[in-house]
Amino acid sequence: MLKIHFSGEDILRTRVAPAANPVWEAVLSLHLLPKRTGDPLLSGWRRDVLRDLYREENIDGLRLLLALNPPRGYFPDFLTPYESMDGFEAGMEAVRRTPVSLLHRDLTLVANTRSLPADAGALARGEPDALEQLTTAMGRYRELALGPYWTHVQAAVEADRARRARTLLDGGVKGLLTGLRPGVRWDSGILEIPGYPNSRELHLEGRGLLLVPSFFCADMPVALLDPELPPVLVYPVDRLGGLASGKPEKSTTALAALLGRTRAAVLAASDDGCSTGELARRLYISPAAVSQHTTVLRNAGLLVSHRDRNTVLHTLTPLGRAILNT
């Protein structure tokens, strides 16, 4: 179990990241890549990325990058620096500036659990060429694995942020935190996350907690191992319509049902997330009519609906956003 200790100051300083984090998404997607699962939302992505990586197998540093990010177990804290909140390049610059002591510590922890390629030694010593090679490999991997799908990742994260905002308004910070995953508990200022791979406690000590919604986070929130680093908790979001590149097909029977002014208005009003009652008030139609239209949109794969107690929040899927923006 992971236990995170909050003070009153920590509660005030807890916030949700403003957008999808490209470095965290790249790193966590590496963990999912070797897994042979039946998840239809990721199966096509995994197949395409593995095919592209096979063609690019001569990328310098790729073998080490894969070795540092196994399907389960520890992966180095230095790969996901706090500076990545400012974008991928800011994150890579922070990786290149990682102190040698931290590189050596993180890579020693990895080497204690599995073997690493020979070039890990140069990385542990902080040799600039090794760090440059690693960040270049991360950039190339990001282009292959995330580039064609990034708008879908962003849409899923945006939808989650809309849900969290409403949860915060209705249930406060306690509701926000306990809604991150089934079974999460809040008890006297301590957030308890059962099922965590290793039992540990994190004391925030007035620094607050940054919540990072992630498309590629598997089913368990992730925290950095080093308690001295800025506290971050990465948690999984609903993957909505999954990953698909290319333009959406509009000629299907399901999408044909979308024709009509009211249904299009429901789709547009759901852009930033909207409850059934809010849609009814905005569009001057009954809640029953809203439910009918959202059912059609949901069946067409354009909306996803989440129930939170007595409220149903409707948000766009990547396909719905693509059609709305066409």
Side-chain angles (χ1 to χ4, degrees):
M1 177 183 290
L2 172 64
K3 293 185 177 181
I4 304 178
H5 296 256
F6 289 76
S7 66
E9 181 69 16
D10 293 315
I11 292 174
L12 292 175
R13 300 185 67 180
T14 292
R15 67 270 189 216
V16 180
N21 185 304
V23 176
W24 270 106
E25 295 293 358
V27 167
L28 293 177
S29 73
L30 282 161
H31 301 173
L32 297 178
L33 201 56
K35 293 183 179 180
R36 292 184 176 275
T37 68
D39 187 346
L41 302 181
L42 292 176
S43 58
W45 167 83
R46 179 180 176 275
R47 181 187 62 249
D48 293 344
V49 173
L50 287 174
R51 179 198 62 214
D52 292 341
L53 287 180
Y54 178 79
R55 295 171 180 169
E56 300 272 355
E57 61 182 352
N58 61 339
I59 296 176
D60 291 337
L62 181 58
R63 184 163 172 261
L64 176 58
L65 180 61
L66 293 170
L68 293 176
N69 292 280
R72 60 183 59 86
Y74 174 74
F75 62 97
D77 285 348
F78 77 84
L79 286 178
T80 53
Y82 193 82
E83 291 84 349
S84 63
M85 296 303 301
D86 295 325
F88 188 81
E89 292 306 321
M92 292 301 94
E93 181 58 31
V95 170
R96 287 189 285 268
R97 296 197 313 267
T98 305
V100 175
S101 59
L102 297 186
L103 290 170
H104 184 268
R105 182 203 62 185
D106 285 5
L107 291 172
T108 298
L109 289 172
V110 175
N112 287 338
T113 61
R114 55 190 177 275
S115 60
L116 291 175
D119 49 352
L123 185 62
R125 293 189 296 272
E127 296 183 11
D129 287 347
L131 285 162
E132 187 65 35
Q133 191 176 84
L134 178 66
T135 55
T136 298
M138 288 184 70
R140 183 60 183 139
Y141 170 78
R142 179 201 175 204
E143 292 176 12
L144 294 175
L146 302 186
Y149 311 98
W150 190 240
T151 57
H152 302 258
V153 172
Q154 288 177 306
V157 169
E158 288 171 10
D160 182 86
R161 278 175 47 80
R163 290 179 57 205
R164 301 300 165 194
R166 290 177 175 276
T167 301
L168 181 63
L169 288 172
D170 294 339
V173 173
K174 178 181 177 181
L176 172 68
L177 294 171
T178 55
L180 297 178
R181 183 178 186 269
V184 172
R185 298 187 296 271
W186 175 266
D187 183 18
S188 302
I190 301 175
L191 184 69
E192 299 179 342
I193 303 176
Y196 204 76
N198 48 63
S199 295
R200 48 182 294 224
E201 300 196 18
L202 174 60
H203 294 264
L204 300 180
E205 300 177 336
R207 296 172 294 173
L209 182 65
L210 178 65
L211 301 171
V212 180
S214 169
F215 187 98
F216 285 101
C217 186
D219 58 354
M220 177 65 63
V222 177
L224 298 171
L225 183 64
D226 187 348
E228 299 301 317
L229 292 172
V232 170
L233 186 68
V234 184
Y235 66 90
V237 304
D238 288 336
R239 297 192 178 112
L240 304 181
L243 292 180
S245 58
K247 295 182 179 180
E249 292 292 335
K250 295 185 180 180
S251 58
T252 63
T253 303
L255 291 183
L258 294 176
L259 297 176
R261 185 169 54 189
T262 303
R263 203 160 289 155
V266 170
L267 189 69
S270 302
D271 190 15
D272 294 323
C274 214
S275 70
T276 298
E278 288 171 337
L279 286 170
R281 289 190 293 272
R282 286 188 189 184
L283 304 178
Y284 301 101
I285 58 178
S286 68
V290 170
S291 296
Q292 180 184 15
H293 290 304
T294 54
T295 297
V296 173
L297 293 167
R298 190 166 54 249
N299 290 341
L302 304 182
L303 281 185
V304 61
S305 302
H306 300 277
R307 177 173 291 278
D308 184 9
R309 295 186 290 275
N310 295 325
T311 301
V312 179
L313 179 66
H314 309 285
T315 53
L316 298 182
T317 66
L319 179 60
R321 189 173 300 279
I323 288 180
L324 187 63
N325 293 337
T326 299

